[in-house]
Amino acid sequence: MRIDGKVAVVTGAAVGTGRAIAQRLAADGADVVLADIDEAGLAQTADSIGAAARRVHLDLCDDDALAELMACRPQILVNNAGGGAVLRPCFPEADVDRWTASLELNLRAPMLATQLALDGMRAAGGGAIINLGSTAGVGFGPHVSPEYSASKAALIRLTATLGCLQESHNVRVNCVVPDWVATERGLAEQAALPEAERGPELVPLETLTSAVVRFVEDETLAGRAMLLDRGKDPELIAS
């Protein structure tokens, strides 16, 4: 699937991975719709892209606002928005509203965005949906934020189950699963650690954006997850 000339929605586009993904898709010719609750960050991302960008200020947990966003009928949807892994306290110490909010942002919002995008994509002849998971959702070890890791694990599994949409809707759903990424915040957090605790270099932003582009363009890939581990080559881990 060609990116050039397509409408692409990128959620969480104000900073970090979302900004980098939006910039990459715009550079490859997409008309990018930037969505985030951070209005100032959205303006900065839009300014960095130029005329190919349109920004929408919204809370992704607001169902009506999300429906209005998806009315642009994108052919590309990147469910990048998420977070909460560093918030304290976490489950089980966190109260119900707090851990529920994490599940809503990291799992329910991309599920609803996907559902809302499908009819428009099918009418346009097809589309590509890319979810942003996390290595926090891989494996069976402990994690400081059980609600975050559980939501990301569910998003990866959801992606695999939606491989069937390629046949029914000509829509391919895939998932990029990065470790710690070299965003401005990621690099600052790594630098703040004692040198002995820093570990391998963070996942380059170019590696992440290239994974997104591959999932858009490669029509043989559906229901797959690509693991981007620190210090390792990208690896397709699910089918």
Side-chain angles (χ1 to χ4, degrees), residues 149-195:
S149 58
S151 64
K152 291 299 186 179
L155 191 61
I156 296 167
R157 181 70 185 107
L158 173 73
T159 298
T161 67
L162 296 181
C164 60
L165 292 177
Q166 183 177 27
E167 182 175 348
S168 62
H169 289 68
N170 197 25
V171 173
R172 294 176 295 105
V173 185
N174 292 287
C175 188
V176 178
V177 184
D179 198 345
W180 204 358
V181 181
T183 61
E184 288 185 11
R185 188 178 78 176
L187 291 169
E189 290 175 349
Q190 186 191 44
L193 293 173
E195 187 171 353

Side-chain angles (χ1 to χ4, degrees), residues 66 79 106-116 131 154-155 158:
L66 187 55
N79 286 313
N106 292 301
L107 180 59
R108 185 181 184 276
M111 289 182 71
L112 180 56
T114 295
Q115 189 174 41
L116 293 169
N131 296 319
L155 191 61
L158 173 73

Side-chain angles (χ1 to χ4, degrees), residues 24 28 32 53 64 129 143-144 153 164 168 195-196 199:
R24 176 68 181 270
D28 287 352
V32 185
D64 292 337
I129 298 172
H143 190 271
V144 294
C164 60
S168 62
E195 187 171 353

